Amino acid sequence: MPPDAARRSDRSRRAILVAALELVEALGYSRLTIEAVATRAGVGKQTIYRWWSSKGPLLFEAFVELGPIGQYPPTCGDLAADLRLELRVVVEELGERRFDQVCRALLHEARDDLLALLLTPRRLRLEERLRAAQRVGEVRLEVDVAVAADLLLGAVHQRWLLRTEPLSGQHADAVVDLVLRALRG
Amino acid sequence: MPPDAARRSDRSRRAILVAALELVEALGYSRLTIEAVATRAGVGKQTIYRWWSSKGPLLFEAFVELGPIGQYPPTCGDLAADLRLELRVVVEELGERRFDQVCRALLHEARDDLLALLLTPRRLRLEERLRAAQRVGEVRLEVDVAVAADLLLGAVHQRWLLRTEPLSGQHADAVVDLVLRALRG
């Protein structure tokens, strides 16, 4: 591609990603159409379909590229405080309309693989924090940190996903407190 | 409706539900069509659409009506053994093609409400078992059994949903063992 065409193409791509995120926030996922994204981004529908097969993968890329996905709070050294903070950020993020809509979009399009990717950074942070706690003896060495992360995140993701009860910081704290009893020596 | 017409209508409904379950097992959800269900059940497509708006709610009703949804193992009195067994049944059920496909179908059609209903019986059993354990002092009274059930089920549902790692009885056991440490006095 000649340099000018490449630059134009980059600009279009970015305009599409920005439009997709703005629209999912304004309309929600089910009312979002590729046509509306194209109009807002000032490109033709075909341009979008050349790069993305449907709105799920388009939104995923928009999120990854135009992140950051929420904040990454600094750890303070106190295990309970750190885990509470991490899990509260997960709750906030899932409660944010844009993030919620993108995640559900991926589910509805059966893109579990992309959803897993989107949720992975938080999991890695948690596992890393748990491993650090193991090194200083705050978490038993026999604990499988992947299973511990399943407990912490699963409890929250399940409520979010099934909407059985509203997500809340209080619920997240209760989850952390219960899990901590299992992790300590 | 005259008695004969009511009987015919009942027969059609049942034939549709049976066909839907057989086909989701044979084809998986994405290849299942209302047309194929109609053909197999010997009814017209319009008959199906008169009762159900799409394949998600149709499959849900088929599951609820033609259950049972897996087995309900008798409790043996030992808390650890009971929880392990319950969670292993959850894992088996989610691993069963028909159940897996119906649950994912509901997700893909954004029927989180129906999915939650389908998963509720297991949760109620677990909570009931945890409450019984509280009454005999095996689980601390301060434990919120709903949060404990979130931990047990969330860990398993999360793996199932995101397919990050395969579900297994071993994983379920590890979840139960870790959670039990948090529940005991």
Side-chain angles (χ1 to χ4, degrees):
Chain A
M1 213 186 291
D4 264 15
R7 216 173 304 132
R8 250 198 326 275
S9 168
D10 261 7
R11 257 205 312 270
S12 298
R13 250 189 100 263
R14 201 184 154 80
I16 292 165
L17 295 177
V18 169
L21 275 197
E22 285 170 352
L23 284 176
V24 82
E25 186 149 19
L27 302 176
Y29 174 71
S30 60
R31 287 190 293 152
L32 179 77
T33 62
I34 293 289
E35 193 146 16
V37 176
T39 304
R40 192 179 186 96
V43 303
K45 264 167 56 168
Q46 286 322 308
T47 306
I48 298 184
Y49 284 120
R50 201 164 63 220
W51 288 316
W52 298 280
S53 60
S54 61
K55 52 187 179 173
L58 164 60
L59 284 166
F60 172 78
E61 205 165 326
F63 229 99
V64 169
E65 199 148 315
L66 305 179
I69 305 175
Q71 47 168 324
Y72 285 90
T75 52
C76 76
D78 177 68
L79 179 62
D82 281 346
L83 293 182
R84 276 173 169 236
L85 191 56
E86 291 284 341
L87 213 58
R88 275 182 174 252
V89 170
V90 170
V91 164
E92 264 172 48
E93 194 168 69
L94 290 171
E96 196 201 312
R97 182 172 165 95
R98 236 171 37 155
F99 192 74
D100 171 273
Q101 292 285 322
V102 171
C103 288
R104 290 190 196 274
L106 296 171
L107 271 181
H108 300 166
E109 297 199 357
R111 295 306 305 263
D112 319 339
D113 53 338
L114 295 184
L115 177 58
L117 270 181
L118 213 45
L119 299 177
T120 293
R122 296 281 174 214
R123 161 173 287 268
L124 295 180
R125 290 257 308 181
L126 269 178
E127 292 188 0
E128 188 40 56
R129 185 64 189 84
L130 292 170
R131 253 182 244 109
Q134 273 182 324
R135 285 194 292 272
V136 297
E138 281 185 297
V139 166
R140 290 178 294 120
L141 281 173
E142 315 87 79
V143 169
D144 181 336
V145 295
V147 174
D150 279 345
L151 294 187
L152 291 164
L153 291 170
V156 167
H157 286 156
Q158 154 140 323
R159 276 208 177 186
W160 165 73
L161 187 70
L162 299 178
R163 307 185 209 244
T164 40
E165 300 203 46
L167 281 181
S168 72
Q170 251 177 322
H171 176 249
D173 289 351
V175 167
V176 168
D177 293 349
L178 202 50
V179 172
L180 266 178
R181 288 186 73 109
L183 303 182
R184 284 178 163 149
Chain B
M1 212 186 289
D4 265 18
R7 216 172 304 131
R8 254 200 323 277
S9 167
D10 261 7
R11 259 205 312 271
S12 299
R13 250 188 102 262
R14 203 184 152 79
I16 293 165
L17 295 177
V18 169
L21 275 196
E22 285 169 354
L23 284 175
V24 82
E25 186 147 17
L27 303 175
Y29 174 72
S30 61
R31 286 191 293 151
L32 178 76
T33 61
I34 293 289
E35 194 146 15
V37 175
T39 305
R40 192 180 186 96
V43 303
K45 262 167 57 169
Q46 285 323 306
T47 305
I48 298 183
Y49 282 121
R50 203 164 62 219
W51 288 316
W52 299 280
S53 60
S54 61
K55 53 187 179 173
L58 164 61
L59 284 166
F60 172 78
E61 206 166 325
F63 229 99
V64 168
E65 201 148 314
L66 306 178
I69 305 174
Q71 47 167 323
Y72 285 90
T75 53
C76 76
D78 179 67
L79 179 62
D82 282 346
L83 292 182
R84 276 173 170 235
L85 190 55
E86 291 283 341
L87 213 59
R88 274 181 175 252
V89 170
V90 170
V91 163
E92 263 172 47
E93 196 168 67
L94 290 171
E96 197 201 311
R97 183 172 163 95
R98 237 170 38 152
F99 193 74
D100 171 272
Q101 291 285 323
V102 171
C103 288
R104 291 192 196 274
L106 295 170
L107 271 181
H108 301 166
E109 296 199 356
R111 295 306 306 262
D112 319 339
D113 52 338
L114 296 184
L115 177 58
L117 270 180
L118 214 45
L119 299 177
T120 294
R122 297 280 174 215
R123 162 174 286 267
L124 295 180
R125 289 257 309 181
L126 269 178
E127 291 187 0
E128 188 41 56
R129 185 64 189 85
L130 291 170
R131 255 182 243 109
Q134 273 182 325
R135 286 193 292 271
V136 298
E138 281 185 299
V139 166
R140 289 179 295 118
L141 281 173
E142 314 86 79
V143 169
D144 181 336
V145 296
V147 174
D150 280 345
L151 294 188
L152 291 163
L153 291 170
V156 167
H157 287 156
Q158 154 141 322
R159 274 209 179 185
W160 164 73
L161 188 70
L162 299 178
R163 308 184 208 245
T164 39
E165 299 201 48
L167 281 182
S168 72
Q170 251 178 323
H171 175 249
D173 289 350
V175 167
V176 168
D177 294 349
L178 202 51
V179 171
L180 266 178
R181 288 186 72 108
L183 302 182
R184 285 178 162 149

